[in-house]
C-alpha cells in the first residue's frame, strides 16, 4: 500500500507535467487549428536553453531561468506563430501539422548538436527531500510539482473565465467570426494563446528536468503523453486536459511499477485506443465543439 | 436623397475568385428602416459583409455619413457607430447571458463611462434575460438569443444597425416583438438596414424596400410600392398577394 501511494504521487507529478503540455496543446488547437507535434520538444528545450545560458554566459541559475524562459516564449510563442503557423495554416491543417513535425526534429537535433548529447543535471527550485508519512515515503519534489502545476492551471482557468480578456480569448476560440464582428481583437487573442502555450511548456520544463535530467530526447515521451492526455480529456478544454494528463501520468507510473518498465509506453496507448473506440469525443469533450 | 447615412457605389467583391457583388449600389436614408429582399444566394448577406469590412472588394466605395469607410475593420466601424447582427446564431452558448451581453461593449471608447448602467438596462429590457443573466446563454430560447444579440448590439448606441434575417426560426409572436424593437429604435432616430426572408411582414413595418438579385440592386423604393409591385409579389411574396389586396 505504501508503495502504491508513492507510485500514485509520482504519477500525479508527471501527470501534472503532461497536463501543462496538454493544456497548451489544446489552446493552440482551438484558436488556430494548430496540431503541434513539437509540443514535447517545447517542454524539452527551455531547460536546455537555461543550462546553455549558465554555461555560455556564466549567468547565475535564477537569472538564466528568467532569461531562458523569456527567450523561449519569444521564439516559440511569438516566433512559432509568425514564422510557422501563420504561413502554413493558409494551406490547411495538415501541412501545418507536418511542419511542426519537422520543427520537432530540428529542435531535437539542434539541442543535441548545439548543446549536448548527454543528459545534464538540472537544479531544482523545489525541495528535493523525501519525508516519511505513516510509513509511506513521499518525495516533497513530487508534491511541490503537483502544487505548482495545479496553481498555474488554476490561475489560467481563473484568467480564462473570470477576466474580460480571458473571455475574449474564449470567444475568439469558439467563434472567431462572431468575435470579429463584436470588435474583439481576434488576432491578438490567438497570439496570446501561443504565448501562454510557450509559458506553460517552459514551466513544465523547469519542473520536470530536475527529475528526468535535461536531455535532447526528452520530448519524445512527453509529447506523446501530452497528445494522449489531450485526446483523453476531450481536446477542447482546460479541465479535460488536466484530467487527461493526471490519468495518463498515474497509469504510466503504475504500469511501470506493476506491469513492466519496458512495455510501460504501451499502456497509455491502449487507454487511448479504448477512449477513441468508446468515447471518441474524450472523457470531458462534447461533440463538435471548440472552446477554451 | 439628401445626406444619406450610407451609400454603396458600384461595389464589386466576392469570395476568392468568385464575384458575388457585381457593382452593387444603393443609398440608405437616415432614420429609416430599409428591408433588403431577394432570392436565396442573391448576395444579401454578402452586402452586409462588404459594408462591415469582412469581404475583399475589388472595386467600389462605401460611405458612412459622407466618410469613405471602404475596407475599415469591424472594430473601427463599431467605433464609428455601425453594428452588425449576422444571420443565424451569434451568441457564445457556454458563456453566461451577462458575459455575452458584455461583449457588446468591447469596442466602447473611454468616453463611454456609463457602460455598467447600460448593461443593467439592457438586461431589464427583457425579463427573460434578467432572470437568466448568470446562466449559460444556451439556456435561452431562439427568440431570447436574438433579443440578446440585439441588446448587445445596442450597448454602443449605434447610428446604423445592419441586421440579417432577425426573424429566422422565431414564432410569429416573437417576430412581431422583434420588429417592434426595431421600430422603436427607428423612432428614436436609429437607421436600420435589414435583410428578411419574411418579406411581407418586414416590408409592412419598413419605410423602404430594396430588391437585390445576382448581386445587383434591381429595385428600390417606398416599402408599400415594393410590397404592391406585381413583379416582386410574384417573385418573393408568394402567390397569395392578390388575396391580401
Ligand atoms: N464564405 C463563403 N465562401 C464562398 N462562397 C460564399 C460564402 N458565403 C456565401 N457564398 C456564396 O455567395 C453567394 C451569396 O451568398 P449570400 O449569403 O450573400 O446570399 P443571401 O442572399 O444572403 O442568401 P440567403 O437568403 O440564403 O441568406 C451564394 O452563392 C453563396 O454560395
Ligand atoms: Mg443571407
Amino acid at each position: 500500500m505504501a508503495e502504491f501511494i508513492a507510485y500514485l504521487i509520482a504519477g500525479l507529478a508527471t501527470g501534472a507535467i503532461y497536463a501543462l503540455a496538454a493544456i497548451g496543446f489544446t489552446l493552440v488547437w482551438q484558436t488556430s487549428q494548430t496540431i503541434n507535434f513539437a509540443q514535447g520538444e517545447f517542454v524539452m528545450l527551455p531547460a536546455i536553453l537555461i543550462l546553455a545560458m549558465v554555461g555560455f554566459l556564466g549567468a547565475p541559475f535564477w537569472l538564466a531561468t528568467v532569461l531562458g524562459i523569456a527567450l523561449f516564449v519569444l521564439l516559440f510563442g511569438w516566433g512559432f506563430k509568425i514564422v510557422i503557423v501563420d504561413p502554413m495554416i493558409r494551406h490547411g491543417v495538415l501541412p501545418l501539422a507536418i511542419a511542426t513535425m519537422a520543427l520537432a526534429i530540428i529542435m531535437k537535433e539542434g539541442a543535441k548538436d548545439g548543446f549536448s548529447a548527454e543528459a545534464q543535471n538540472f537544479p531544482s527550485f523545489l525541495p528535493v527531500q523525501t519525508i516519511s508519512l505513516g510509513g509511506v515515503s513521499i518525495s516533497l519534489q513530487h508534491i511541490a510539482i503537483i502544487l505548482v502545476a495545479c496553481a498555474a492551471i488554476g490561475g489560467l482557468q481563473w484568467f480564462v473565465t473570470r477576466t474580460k480578456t480571458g473571455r475574449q480569448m474564449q470567444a475568439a476560440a469558439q467563434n472567431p467570426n462572431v468575435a470579429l464582428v463584436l470588435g474583439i481583437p481576434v488576432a491578438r487573442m490567438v497570439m496570446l494563446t501561443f504565448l501562454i502555450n510557450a509559458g506553460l511548456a517552459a514551466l513544465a520544463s523547469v519542473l520536470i528536468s530536475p527529475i528526468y535530467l535535461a536531455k535532447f530526447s526528452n520530448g519524445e515521451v512527453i509529447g506523446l503523453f501530452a497528445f494522449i492526455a489531450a485526446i483523453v480529456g476531450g481536446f477542447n478544454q482546460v479541465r479535460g486536459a488536466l484530467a487527461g494528463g493526471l490519468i495518463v501520468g498515474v497509469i504510466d507510473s503504475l504500469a511501470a511499477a506493476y506491469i513492466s518498465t519496458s512495455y510501460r509506453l504501451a499502456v497509455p496507448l491502449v487507454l487511448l485506443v479504448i477512449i477513441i473506440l468508446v468515447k471518441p469525443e474524450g472523457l470531458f469533450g462534447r461533440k463538435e465543439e471548440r472552446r477554451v | 436623397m439628401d445626406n444619406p447615412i450610407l451609400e454603396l457605389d458600384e461595389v464589386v467583391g466576392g469570395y476568392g475568385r468568385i464575384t458575388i457583388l457585381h457593382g452593387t449600389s444603393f443609398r440608405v436614408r437616415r432614420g429609416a428602416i430599409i428591408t433588403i429582399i431577394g432570392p436565396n444566394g442573391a448576395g444579401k448577406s454578402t452586402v452586409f459583409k462588404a459594408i462591415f469590412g469582412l469581404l475583399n472588394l475589388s472595386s467600389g466605395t462605401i460611405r458612412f455619413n459622407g466618410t469613405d469607410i471602404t475596407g475599415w475593420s469591424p472594430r473601427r466601424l463599431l467605433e464609428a457607430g455601425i453594428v452588425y447582427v449576422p444571420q443565424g446564431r451569434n451568441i457564445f452558448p457556454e458563456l453566461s447571458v451577462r458575459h455575452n451581453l458584455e461583449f457588446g461593449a468591447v469596442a466602447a471608447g473611454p468616453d463611454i463611462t456609463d457602460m455598467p448602467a447600460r448593461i443593467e438596462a439592457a438586461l431589464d429590457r427583457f425579463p427573460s434575460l434578467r432572470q437568466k443573466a448568470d446562466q449559460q446563454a444556451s439556456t435561452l430560447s431562439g427568440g431570447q438569443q436574438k433579443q440578446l444579440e440585439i441588446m448587445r448590439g445596442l450597448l454602443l448606441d449605434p447610428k446604423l444597425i445592419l441586421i440579417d434575417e432577425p426573424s429566422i426560426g422565431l414564432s410569429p409572436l416573437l417576430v412581431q416583438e422583434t420588429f417592434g424593437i426595431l421600430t422603436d429604435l427607428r423612432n428614436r432616430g436609429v437607421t436600420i438596414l435589414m435583410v428578411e426572408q419574411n418579406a411581407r411582414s418586414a416590408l409592412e413595418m419598413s419605410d423602404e424596400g430594396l430588391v437585390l438579385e445576382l448581386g445587383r440592386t434591381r429595385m428600390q423604393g417606398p416599402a408599400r410600392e415594393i410590397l404592391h409591385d406585381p413583379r416582386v409579389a410574384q417573385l418573393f411574396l408568394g402567390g397569395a398577394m392578390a388575396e391580401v389586396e
Side-chain angles (χ1 to χ4, degrees):
Chain A
M1 188 62 195
E3 207 183 31
F4 176 80
I5 291 175
Y7 287 129
L8 184 68
I9 290 174
L12 287 173
T14 43
I17 303 292
Y18 301 147
L20 290 173
I23 288 167
F25 190 89
T26 52
L27 279 181
V28 297
W29 156 252
Q30 286 167 61
T31 55
S32 64
Q33 286 67 62
T34 305
I35 304 175
N36 183 18
F37 284 110
Q39 191 73 351
E41 280 66 34
F42 273 44
V43 177
M44 172 276 294
L45 196 66
I48 305 267
L49 279 179
I50 291 165
L51 290 181
M53 293 223 169
V54 174
F56 298 142
L57 302 181
F61 182 62
W62 68 267
L63 181 64
T65 303
V66 173
L67 290 178
I69 291 177
L71 181 65
F72 180 78
V73 171
L74 181 71
L75 290 178
F76 290 88
W78 186 80
F80 174 55
K81 172 154 193 303
I82 298 290
V83 176
I84 296 179
V85 176
D86 288 348
M88 293 309 290
I89 194 67
R90 265 175 245 147
H91 304 288
V93 172
L94 198 59
L96 173 56
I98 293 168
T100 67
M101 290 179 193
L103 177 67
I105 296 170
I106 295 169
M107 289 172 78
K108 200 165 71 180
E109 296 306 317
K112 186 168 139 197
D113 291 344
F115 186 67
S116 171
E118 303 301 319
Q120 306 286 320
N121 274 319
F122 190 87
S124 177
F125 286 102
L126 303 171
V128 291
Q129 307 93 314
T130 303
I131 55 163
S132 182
L133 254 179
V136 184
S137 69
I138 294 171
S139 152
L140 277 185
Q141 193 171 13
H142 286 155
I143 300 286
I145 287 175
I146 297 168
L147 292 178
V148 171
C150 287
I153 294 166
L156 176 66
Q157 185 73 331
W158 177 85
F159 168 75
V160 164
T161 56
R162 295 295 154 92
T163 68
K164 284 191 175 155
T165 309
R167 287 195 292 270
Q168 290 185 27
M169 203 172 96
Q170 285 194 65
Q174 288 171 19
N175 197 333
N177 295 327
V178 173
L180 204 60
V181 162
L182 294 168
I184 291 171
V186 173
R188 219 184 305 159
M189 291 301 138
V190 175
M191 179 57 90
L192 185 58
T193 63
F194 277 82
L195 299 180
I196 292 173
N197 177 44
L200 291 175
L203 176 64
S205 189
V206 169
L207 291 177
I208 196 72
S209 298
I211 298 179
Y212 280 5
L213 307 180
K215 192 171 179 204
F216 72 94
S217 58
N218 279 357
E220 292 163 9
V221 171
I222 295 173
L224 177 65
F225 282 10
F227 185 66
I228 295 174
I231 295 176
V232 167
F235 227 88
N236 55 6
Q237 50 175 327
V238 171
R239 206 159 40 108
L242 171 62
L246 295 177
I247 291 170
V248 170
V250 167
I251 287 182
D252 173 52
S253 172
L254 297 180
Y258 296 111
I259 300 176
S260 146
T261 34
S262 19
Y263 292 105
R264 63 188 292 187
L265 264 181
V267 179
L269 284 171
V270 171
L271 170 74
L272 176 65
V273 170
I274 294 172
I275 293 279
I276 288 173
L277 292 179
V278 177
K279 212 167 179 298
E281 70 275 18
L283 293 180
F284 292 82
R286 309 240 177 98
K287 282 171 189 137
E288 292 303 306
E289 260 181 41
R290 291 194 285 125
R291 57 183 171 172
V292 175
Chain B
M1 189 189 299
D2 284 340
N3 188 17
I5 190 165
L6 184 77
E7 290 169 85
L8 270 75
D9 192 11
E10 291 295 321
V11 171
V12 178
Y15 306 94
R17 251 168 276 150
I18 311 159
T19 303
I20 304 292
L21 306 180
H22 304 271
T24 312
S25 302
F26 61 82
R27 296 168 144 216
V28 174
R29 183 156 59 84
R30 191 177 304 277
I33 299 183
I34 290 128
T35 293
I36 303 179
I37 60 173
N40 293 112
K44 304 181 297 294
S45 300
T46 306
V47 165
F48 280 3
K49 288 182 209 161
I51 299 169
F52 218 64
L54 301 169
L55 199 74
N56 282 327
L57 303 185
S58 42
S59 66
T61 322
I62 301 169
R63 274 184 293 274
F64 175 64
N65 280 331
T67 308
D68 187 344
I69 56 160
T70 318
W72 281 24
S73 69
R75 176 74 176 230
R76 211 166 153 207
L77 295 164
L78 288 165
E79 285 164 1
I82 308 178
V83 300
Y84 171 34
V85 184
Q87 193 172 343
R89 251 172 144 233
N90 302 296
I91 57 149
F92 299 95
E94 295 184 8
L95 295 179
S96 73
V97 168
R98 182 190 297 278
H99 288 156
N100 266 280
L101 192 59
E102 281 174 7
F103 283 139
V106 166
D111 49 314
I112 301 178
T113 50
D114 62 338
M115 195 47 83
R118 289 188 192 187
I119 289 170
E120 294 311 311
L123 287 172
D124 286 335
R125 176 79 171 68
F126 293 100
S128 55
L129 297 187
R130 165 62 71 196
Q131 201 189 331
K132 293 193 168 170
D134 297 311
Q135 294 180 38
Q136 286 195 344
S138 59
T139 62
L140 296 176
S141 73
Q144 292 165 345
Q145 291 182 11
K146 223 30 176 185
Q147 289 165 346
L148 171 58
E149 286 177 30
I150 295 174
M151 295 322 287
R152 181 177 68 185
L154 295 179
L155 288 182
L156 296 175
D157 250 342
K159 300 182 189 76
L160 170 65
I161 299 177
L162 312 172
I163 186 162
D164 198 345
E165 307 211 10
S167 80
I168 217 160
L170 302 192
S171 68
L173 203 68
L174 270 174
V175 172
Q176 286 319 313
E177 196 179 333
T178 308
F179 284 178
I181 303 170
L182 298 177
T183 310
D184 281 353
L185 284 168
R186 190 267 319 268
N187 294 343
R188 289 196 273 127
V190 181
T191 309
I192 293 160
L193 183 59
M194 170 163 73
V195 166
E196 257 305 334
Q197 297 281 357
N198 212 330
R200 184 186 302 276
S201 331
L203 285 170
E204 274 165 1
M205 53 86 71
S206 297
D207 302 298
E208 277 183 37
L210 191 155
V211 180
L212 196 78
E213 212 177 359
L214 296 172
R216 283 196 187 85
T217 309
R218 280 275 171 256
M219 236 181 265
Q220 184 175 7
R224 299 216 120 247
E225 276 176 29
I226 300 285
L227 193 55
H228 294 244
D229 189 296
R231 290 166 296 173
V232 176
Q234 209 176 14
L235 275 173
F236 310 116
L237 301 176
M241 192 69 191
E243 290 160 34
V244 174
E245 290 308 287

